[in-house]
Amino acid sequence: MKTVNVKGIEFGAGIPKIAVPIVGSSLHALLGELAAIKNLPVDLVEWRADYYGNECKPQEVADAAAVIRDRIPDLPFLFTFRNKREGGQKDISRSAYETLNKTLIQSGAIDLVDVELSIGEECAASTIETAHTHGVKVIMSSHDFQKTPSSATIIKRLQKMQELNADMTKIAVMPTTSSDVLTLLQATDQMKTIYADRPFITMSMSGTGVISRLTGELFGSALTFGSAKEASAPGQIDARHLNELLHFFHSQISQE
C-alpha cells in the first residue's frame, strides 16, 4: 500500500494520525478553537465549513480559510463541507458544492479536500482532477448515520473511491449493536489485507463504536478524529486522551 505525505505527515504508516475538527460558526469562534489546538497532539486540522455562517459564499469561505492557514502554517489543513444527507449542518446543490470545493482548492489555502462519494461520479471526478492539478490531496468519504451496511457494501464503497482516484478513502457508519462494530472492523481488516492500495479511514460512530477509533494500527485505518472543544461526530474522544490511548495500543502491539 502506498502512503500519502502531507507537510511531512505520512498517512498510512505507523500509529493512526489524529485529525481535530474546528466547527465554529464565525471566524472569531474558529480562531478560538485554533488557539486551543496549539496545545494538543494534532496531525491534521479539519475545517467543517458547513458549520460556518448562514451562507456558503465561496470567496468568503476562501478568505476565512486563508486566515486559518496563517494560524496553522505547518499542519495539514483539510477542508470539508458536509451535506446534511451525510450528517452535516447544511445542504447545498451539487453545482454549489462543486464550485465551493474548487474555489477552496484553487485558493492555495488548503492541503486536502473532502469529496463525498454521494455527490455523484461526474462531480467527484471533476473535483478530484482539479485538486490534483493544484497539488491538493483528496479524501473521498461516505457516511451512514442510520445503520452499518454489510461488510461487502463497505468494501465496495471504498473500492469505488479508489477507482475514482481519491488519495485516501473514508467511510463512517452508525452501529446499533456490538455486531455492527465487528462488521466495520472485519471490513477494515479485509481492506488492509486484500483490497487497499492507498491509505483508508474507517470508523464506527457513537459510544458503541469507540473501539474502532483506537485500533487503526491493528486493523489498518490511517486516521482517527479527536475533539478539541466540540465534537463534529458522535463518539469523538478528546484529542489528548486519544493520543494517549493510541500510544498505549502501539506499545502493546510492539511487544508481540
Side-chain angles (χ1 to χ4, degrees), residues 30-91:
L30 290 169
L31 294 179
E33 292 181 69
L34 289 172
I37 283 174
K38 286 184 178 180
N39 299 316
L40 295 176
V42 179
D43 299 300
L44 177 151
V45 173
E46 178 189 37
W47 180 24
R48 280 286 303 274
D50 49 296
Y51 282 85
Y52 186 68
N54 295 318
E55 298 183 60
C56 294
K57 296 181 179 178
Q59 192 54 54
E60 289 183 6
V61 176
D63 290 344
V67 176
I68 295 169
R69 168 86 285 165
D70 185 59
R71 298 298 196 279
I72 51 167
D74 301 320
L75 280 174
F77 179 15
L78 166 64
F79 176 78
T80 299
F81 181 94
R82 182 74 63 232
N83 281 290
K84 271 190 175 181
R85 63 178 174 275
E86 297 272 341
Q89 301 299 301
K90 298 184 182 76
D91 264 329

Side-chain angles (χ1 to χ4, degrees), residues 110-221:
I110 65 172
D111 303 299
L112 307 100
V113 63
D114 182 292
V115 177
E116 295 168 351
L117 178 63
S118 63
I119 204 67
E121 288 189 32
E122 184 177 344
C123 175
S126 176
T127 304
I128 290 170
E129 182 179 5
T130 300
H132 290 165
T133 298
H134 289 82
V136 172
K137 304 296 186 184
V138 175
I139 298 178
M140 181 162 270
S141 63
S142 175
H143 302 77
D144 192 327
F145 276 76
Q146 303 302 317
K147 65 184 184 304
T148 297
S150 68
S151 179
T153 297
I154 291 171
I155 291 169
K156 184 178 180 180
R157 289 184 193 173
L158 292 169
Q159 287 181 296
K160 185 63 180 178
M161 298 175 201
Q162 290 188 160
E163 291 173 12
L164 290 167
N165 202 28
D167 299 283
M168 291 189 269
T169 65
K170 175 191 173 189
I171 191 165
V173 297
M174 183 64 72
T176 57
T177 66
S178 57
S179 295
D180 284 343
V181 182
L182 293 177
T183 296
L184 183 280
L185 292 176
Q186 180 186 44
T188 305
D189 189 59
Q190 289 181 355
M191 280 299 297
K192 180 184 76 170
T193 56
I194 303 173
Y195 301 107
D197 61 6
R198 66 202 69 195
F200 66 94
I201 305 155
T202 64
M203 66 195 73
S204 183
M205 294 181 282
S206 80
T208 301
V210 71
I211 190 67
S212 70
R213 297 180 181 273
L214 305 174
T215 54
E217 186 172 4
L218 178 62
F219 288 98
S221 182

